[in-house]
């Protein structure tokens, strides 16, 4: 089923206590808010927060996501956290291939392919991030860049495994800059992504895939972005750290 999702990416923000307070505020709102069964809230929290937040939210409406996992299954990789550990902590989703990880940790399409496989093996749904940098858009290479990211990290999956994947289109120039893609720019790319999925996996798989927009999505612009036919919600950074702003984004779903 194609879900509409408001996903927060808290990044490396909030102490455990602050994270709990934020999750409690969102939970308090959601407990009074009727959420259709095809809508879902996902909180992408630091590893240290997963268990506590899983235990305080209503799992029927709110799922917890990690923001990364190790590229190995287990073993002597001091400091790393495996997909299996994340799943056993109660998370159901995982943000994979965020542009900050591609940039600061040199994550490649090949490495992300492995991470996607580890997520699926451990029943975690990857929210797989794609998106072009500013110079790539200026050179009109944005479609090519996104196609390569999808092809090299996801399109080896069979249709059953692919059905568990969500995609987040996050133009790098829009992340944390306050400059979001216009609804038309975002829709154009989302439609392109859905077309690629249809070519690879068929129309029904494409129709069932949730494609989220990320990049300076906020309480003011969420409704116009989410009104686009191929935008199924948002992956939200800065605005997910303020309960009231994130609640407005949930209402816009
Ligand atoms: C993100 O980091 O995924 C993101 C979209 O950040 P922001 O909303 O702050 O641009």
């Amino acid at each position: 089923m194609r879900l509409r999702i408001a996903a927060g990416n808290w990044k490396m923000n909030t102490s455990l206590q602050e994270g709990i307070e934020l999750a409690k505020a969102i939970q308090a709102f959601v407990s009074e808010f009727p959420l259709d069964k095809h809508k879902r809230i996902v909180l992408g929290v630091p590893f240290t927060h997963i268990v506590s937040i899983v235990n305080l939210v209503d799992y029927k409406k709110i799922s917890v996501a990690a923001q990364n996992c190790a590229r190995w299954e287990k073993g002597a990789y001091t400091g790393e956290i495996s997909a299996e550990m994340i799943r056993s902590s109660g998370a159901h989703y995982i943000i994979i291939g965020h542009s900050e990880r591609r940039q600061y940790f040199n994550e490649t399409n090949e490495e992300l392919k492995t991470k996607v496989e580890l997520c699926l093996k451990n029943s975690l749904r990857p929210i797989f991030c794609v998106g072009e940098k500013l110079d790539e858009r200026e050179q009109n290479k944005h479609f090519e860049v996104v196609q390569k990211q999808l092809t090299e990290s996801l399109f080896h999956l069979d249709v059953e495994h692919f059905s568990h994947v969500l995609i987040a289109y996050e133009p790098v120039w829009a992340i944390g800059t306050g400059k979001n893609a216009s609804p038309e720019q975002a829709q154009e790319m989302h439609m392109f992504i859905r077309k690629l999925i249809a070519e690879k996996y068929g129309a029904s798989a494409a129709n069932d895939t949730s494609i989220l927009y990320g990049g300076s999505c906020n309480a003011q612009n969420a409704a116009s972005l989410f009104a686009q036919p191929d935008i199924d919600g948002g992956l939200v950074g800065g605005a997910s750290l303020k309960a009231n702003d994130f609640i407005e984004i949930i209402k816009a779903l």
Side-chain angles (χ1 to χ4, degrees), residues 22 43 48 82 87 109 152 170 172 175 201 208:
L22 179 54
L43 303 179
T48 46
S82 72
R87 184 66 192 86
N109 291 341
E152 295 186 358
E170 299 210 307
V172 180
I175 297 181
Y201 295 108
D208 283 349

mmCIF file with all atom_site columns, all heavy atoms in Angstrom, residues 22 43 48 82 87 109 152 170 172 175 201 208:
data_model
loop_
_atom_site.group_PDB
_atom_site.id
_atom_site.type_symbol
_atom_site.label_atom_id
_atom_site.label_alt_id
_atom_site.label_comp_id
_atom_site.label_asym_id
_atom_site.label_entity_id
_atom_site.label_seq_id
_atom_site.pdbx_PDB_ins_code
_atom_site.Cartn_x
_atom_site.Cartn_y
_atom_site.Cartn_z
_atom_site.occupancy
_atom_site.B_iso_or_equiv
_atom_site.pdbx_formal_charge
_atom_site.auth_seq_id
_atom_site.auth_comp_id
_atom_site.auth_asym_id
_atom_site.auth_atom_id
_atom_site.pdbx_PDB_model_num
ATOM 1   N N   . LEU A 1 22  ? 10.302 15.679 22.986  1.00 0.00 ? 22  LEU A N   1
ATOM 2   C CA  . LEU A 1 22  ? 9.814  15.950 21.630  1.00 0.00 ? 22  LEU A CA  1
ATOM 3   C C   . LEU A 1 22  ? 8.866  14.837 21.168  1.00 0.00 ? 22  LEU A C   1
ATOM 4   O O   . LEU A 1 22  ? 7.768  15.102 20.649  1.00 0.00 ? 22  LEU A O   1
ATOM 5   C CB  . LEU A 1 22  ? 11.029 16.078 20.696  1.00 0.00 ? 22  LEU A CB  1
ATOM 6   C CG  . LEU A 1 22  ? 10.796 16.349 19.220  1.00 0.00 ? 22  LEU A CG  1
ATOM 7   C CD1 . LEU A 1 22  ? 9.922  17.591 19.008  1.00 0.00 ? 22  LEU A CD1 1
ATOM 8   C CD2 . LEU A 1 22  ? 12.153 16.562 18.509  1.00 0.00 ? 22  LEU A CD2 1
ATOM 9   N N   . LEU A 1 43  ? 9.680  8.761  13.066  1.00 0.00 ? 43  LEU A N   1
ATOM 10  C CA  . LEU A 1 43  ? 10.652 9.623  13.750  1.00 0.00 ? 43  LEU A CA  1
ATOM 11  C C   . LEU A 1 43  ? 12.038 9.027  13.567  1.00 0.00 ? 43  LEU A C   1
ATOM 12  O O   . LEU A 1 43  ? 12.327 7.930  14.073  1.00 0.00 ? 43  LEU A O   1
ATOM 13  C CB  . LEU A 1 43  ? 10.307 9.736  15.244  1.00 0.00 ? 43  LEU A CB  1
ATOM 14  C CG  . LEU A 1 43  ? 8.888  10.265 15.559  1.00 0.00 ? 43  LEU A CG  1
ATOM 15  C CD1 . LEU A 1 43  ? 8.649  10.305 17.068  1.00 0.00 ? 43  LEU A CD1 1
ATOM 16  C CD2 . LEU A 1 43  ? 8.677  11.659 14.950  1.00 0.00 ? 43  LEU A CD2 1
ATOM 17  N N   . THR A 1 48  ? 20.811 6.147  20.165  1.00 0.00 ? 48  THR A N   1
ATOM 18  C CA  . THR A 1 48  ? 20.684 6.095  21.625  1.00 0.00 ? 48  THR A CA  1
ATOM 19  C C   . THR A 1 48  ? 19.253 6.306  22.113  1.00 0.00 ? 48  THR A C   1
ATOM 20  O O   . THR A 1 48  ? 18.945 6.045  23.270  1.00 0.00 ? 48  THR A O   1
ATOM 21  C CB  . THR A 1 48  ? 21.567 7.192  22.243  1.00 0.00 ? 48  THR A CB  1
ATOM 22  O OG1 . THR A 1 48  ? 21.335 8.399  21.488  1.00 0.00 ? 48  THR A OG1 1
ATOM 23  C CG2 . THR A 1 48  ? 23.035 6.830  22.191  1.00 0.00 ? 48  THR A CG2 1
ATOM 24  N N   . SER A 1 82  ? 24.690 -2.440 13.811  1.00 0.00 ? 82  SER A N   1
ATOM 25  C CA  . SER A 1 82  ? 24.201 -3.237 12.674  1.00 0.00 ? 82  SER A CA  1
ATOM 26  C C   . SER A 1 82  ? 22.694 -3.087 12.470  1.00 0.00 ? 82  SER A C   1
ATOM 27  O O   . SER A 1 82  ? 21.956 -2.702 13.394  1.00 0.00 ? 82  SER A O   1
ATOM 28  C CB  . SER A 1 82  ? 24.519 -4.715 12.894  1.00 0.00 ? 82  SER A CB  1
ATOM 29  O OG  . SER A 1 82  ? 23.682 -5.232 13.917  1.00 0.00 ? 82  SER A OG  1
ATOM 30  N N   . ARG A 1 87  ? 16.933 -3.312 14.339  1.00 0.00 ? 87  ARG A N   1
ATOM 31  C CA  . ARG A 1 87  ? 15.620 -3.970 14.317  1.00 0.00 ? 87  ARG A CA  1
ATOM 32  C C   . ARG A 1 87  ? 15.268 -4.501 15.704  1.00 0.00 ? 87  ARG A C   1
ATOM 33  O O   . ARG A 1 87  ? 14.129 -4.399 16.154  1.00 0.00 ? 87  ARG A O   1
ATOM 34  C CB  . ARG A 1 87  ? 15.624 -5.098 13.264  1.00 0.00 ? 87  ARG A CB  1
ATOM 35  C CG  . ARG A 1 87  ? 14.296 -5.769 13.095  1.00 0.00 ? 87  ARG A CG  1
ATOM 36  C CD  . ARG A 1 87  ? 13.253 -4.806 12.517  1.00 0.00 ? 87  ARG A CD  1
ATOM 37  N NE  . ARG A 1 87  ? 11.902 -5.354 12.616  1.00 0.00 ? 87  ARG A NE  1
ATOM 38  C CZ  . ARG A 1 87  ? 11.118 -5.231 13.691  1.00 0.00 ? 87  ARG A CZ  1
ATOM 39  N NH1 . ARG A 1 87  ? 11.534 -4.546 14.759  1.00 0.00 ? 87  ARG A NH1 1
ATOM 40  N NH2 . ARG A 1 87  ? 9.918  -5.754 13.691  1.00 0.00 ? 87  ARG A NH2 1
ATOM 41  N N   . ASN A 1 109 ? 27.309 4.559  -3.947  1.00 0.00 ? 109 ASN A N   1
ATOM 42  C CA  . ASN A 1 109 ? 26.125 3.810  -4.361  1.00 0.00 ? 109 ASN A CA  1
ATOM 43  C C   . ASN A 1 109 ? 26.318 2.316  -4.091  1.00 0.00 ? 109 ASN A C   1
ATOM 44  O O   . ASN A 1 109 ? 25.385 1.621  -3.692  1.00 0.00 ? 109 ASN A O   1
ATOM 45  C CB  . ASN A 1 109 ? 25.839 4.041  -5.856  1.00 0.00 ? 109 ASN A CB  1
ATOM 46  C CG  . ASN A 1 109 ? 25.373 5.459  -6.131  1.00 0.00 ? 109 ASN A CG  1
ATOM 47  O OD1 . ASN A 1 109 ? 24.922 6.171  -5.230  1.00 0.00 ? 109 ASN A OD1 1
ATOM 48  N ND2 . ASN A 1 109 ? 25.488 5.889  -7.381  1.00 0.00 ? 109 ASN A ND2 1
ATOM 49  N N   . GLU A 1 152 ? 22.062 2.033  -9.277  1.00 0.00 ? 152 GLU A N   1
ATOM 50  C CA  . GLU A 1 152 ? 23.224 1.357  -8.672  1.00 0.00 ? 152 GLU A CA  1
ATOM 51  C C   . GLU A 1 152 ? 22.973 0.843  -7.256  1.00 0.00 ? 152 GLU A C   1
ATOM 52  O O   . GLU A 1 152 ? 23.694 -0.026 -6.780  1.00 0.00 ? 152 GLU A O   1
ATOM 53  C CB  . GLU A 1 152 ? 24.435 2.305  -8.696  1.00 0.00 ? 152 GLU A CB  1
ATOM 54  C CG  . GLU A 1 152 ? 24.863 2.590  -10.133 1.00 0.00 ? 152 GLU A CG  1
ATOM 55  C CD  . GLU A 1 152 ? 26.145 3.392  -10.261 1.00 0.00 ? 152 GLU A CD  1
ATOM 56  O OE1 . GLU A 1 152 ? 26.732 3.784  -9.227  1.00 0.00 ? 152 GLU A OE1 1
ATOM 57  O OE2 . GLU A 1 152 ? 26.552 3.624  -11.406 1.00 0.00 ? 152 GLU A OE2 1
ATOM 58  N N   . GLU A 1 170 ? 15.692 14.261 -2.172  1.00 0.00 ? 170 GLU A N   1
ATOM 59  C CA  . GLU A 1 170 ? 16.206 15.378 -1.373  1.00 0.00 ? 170 GLU A CA  1
ATOM 60  C C   . GLU A 1 170 ? 17.286 16.106 -2.167  1.00 0.00 ? 170 GLU A C   1
ATOM 61  O O   . GLU A 1 170 ? 18.460 15.724 -2.111  1.00 0.00 ? 170 GLU A O   1
ATOM 62  C CB  . GLU A 1 170 ? 16.819 14.852 -0.072  1.00 0.00 ? 170 GLU A CB  1
ATOM 63  C CG  . GLU A 1 170 ? 15.854 14.121 0.825   1.00 0.00 ? 170 GLU A CG  1
ATOM 64  C CD  . GLU A 1 170 ? 16.251 14.266 2.286   1.00 0.00 ? 170 GLU A CD  1
ATOM 65  O OE1 . GLU A 1 170 ? 17.413 13.976 2.632   1.00 0.00 ? 170 GLU A OE1 1
ATOM 66  O OE2 . GLU A 1 170 ? 15.419 14.706 3.063   1.00 0.00 ? 170 GLU A OE2 1
ATOM 67  N N   . VAL A 1 172 ? 20.183 18.242 -2.814  1.00 0.00 ? 172 VAL A N   1
ATOM 68  C CA  . VAL A 1 172 ? 21.164 18.607 -1.785  1.00 0.00 ? 172 VAL A CA  1
ATOM 69  C C   . VAL A 1 172 ? 21.146 20.119 -1.533  1.00 0.00 ? 172 VAL A C   1
ATOM 70  O O   . VAL A 1 172 ? 21.315 20.573 -0.398  1.00 0.00 ? 172 VAL A O   1
ATOM 71  C CB  . VAL A 1 172 ? 22.570 18.109 -2.205  1.00 0.00 ? 172 VAL A CB  1
ATOM 72  C CG1 . VAL A 1 172 ? 23.617 18.473 -1.159  1.00 0.00 ? 172 VAL A CG1 1
ATOM 73  C CG2 . VAL A 1 172 ? 22.550 16.593 -2.411  1.00 0.00 ? 172 VAL A CG2 1
ATOM 74  N N   . ILE A 1 175 ? 18.691 21.150 1.251   1.00 0.00 ? 175 ILE A N   1
ATOM 75  C CA  . ILE A 1 175 ? 18.745 20.605 2.612   1.00 0.00 ? 175 ILE A CA  1
ATOM 76  C C   . ILE A 1 175 ? 19.391 21.594 3.571   1.00 0.00 ? 175 ILE A C   1
ATOM 77  O O   . ILE A 1 175 ? 20.538 22.001 3.375   1.00 0.00 ? 175 ILE A O   1
ATOM 78  C CB  . ILE A 1 175 ? 19.504 19.270 2.632   1.00 0.00 ? 175 ILE A CB  1
ATOM 79  C CG1 . ILE A 1 175 ? 18.749 18.246 1.789   1.00 0.00 ? 175 ILE A CG1 1
ATOM 80  C CG2 . ILE A 1 175 ? 19.697 18.757 4.057   1.00 0.00 ? 175 ILE A CG2 1
ATOM 81  C CD1 . ILE A 1 175 ? 19.387 16.885 1.748   1.00 0.00 ? 175 ILE A CD1 1
ATOM 82  N N   . TYR A 1 201 ? 9.869  -2.187 -12.621 1.00 0.00 ? 201 TYR A N   1
ATOM 83  C CA  . TYR A 1 201 ? 9.079  -3.144 -11.823 1.00 0.00 ? 201 TYR A CA  1
ATOM 84  C C   . TYR A 1 201 ? 7.596  -3.222 -12.215 1.00 0.00 ? 201 TYR A C   1
ATOM 85  O O   . TYR A 1 201 ? 6.853  -4.005 -11.635 1.00 0.00 ? 201 TYR A O   1
ATOM 86  C CB  . TYR A 1 201 ? 9.170  -2.783 -10.343 1.00 0.00 ? 201 TYR A CB  1
ATOM 87  C CG  . TYR A 1 201 ? 10.568 -2.934 -9.779  1.00 0.00 ? 201 TYR A CG  1
ATOM 88  C CD1 . TYR A 1 201 ? 11.334 -1.826 -9.470  1.00 0.00 ? 201 TYR A CD1 1
ATOM 89  C CD2 . TYR A 1 201 ? 11.116 -4.200 -9.556  1.00 0.00 ? 201 TYR A CD2 1
ATOM 90  C CE1 . TYR A 1 201 ? 12.625 -1.958 -8.958  1.00 0.00 ? 201 TYR A CE1 1
ATOM 91  C CE2 . TYR A 1 201 ? 12.397 -4.347 -9.054  1.00 0.00 ? 201 TYR A CE2 1
ATOM 92  C CZ  . TYR A 1 201 ? 13.139 -3.226 -8.758  1.00 0.00 ? 201 TYR A CZ  1
ATOM 93  O OH  . TYR A 1 201 ? 14.411 -3.374 -8.252  1.00 0.00 ? 201 TYR A OH  1
ATOM 94  N N   . ASP A 1 208 ? 2.505  1.852  -5.997  1.00 0.00 ? 208 ASP A N   1
ATOM 95  C CA  . ASP A 1 208 ? 2.524  1.520  -4.561  1.00 0.00 ? 208 ASP A CA  1
ATOM 96  C C   . ASP A 1 208 ? 3.730  2.097  -3.821  1.00 0.00 ? 208 ASP A C   1
ATOM 97  O O   . ASP A 1 208 ? 3.836  1.959  -2.596  1.00 0.00 ? 208 ASP A O   1
ATOM 98  C CB  . ASP A 1 208 ? 2.543  -0.002 -4.381  1.00 0.00 ? 208 ASP A CB  1
ATOM 99  C CG  . ASP A 1 208 ? 1.163  -0.601 -4.615  1.00 0.00 ? 208 ASP A CG  1
ATOM 100 O OD1 . ASP A 1 208 ? 0.190  0.171  -4.705  1.00 0.00 ? 208 ASP A OD1 1
ATOM 101 O OD2 . ASP A 1 208 ? 1.079  -1.834 -4.717  1.00 0.00 ? 208 ASP A OD2 1
#
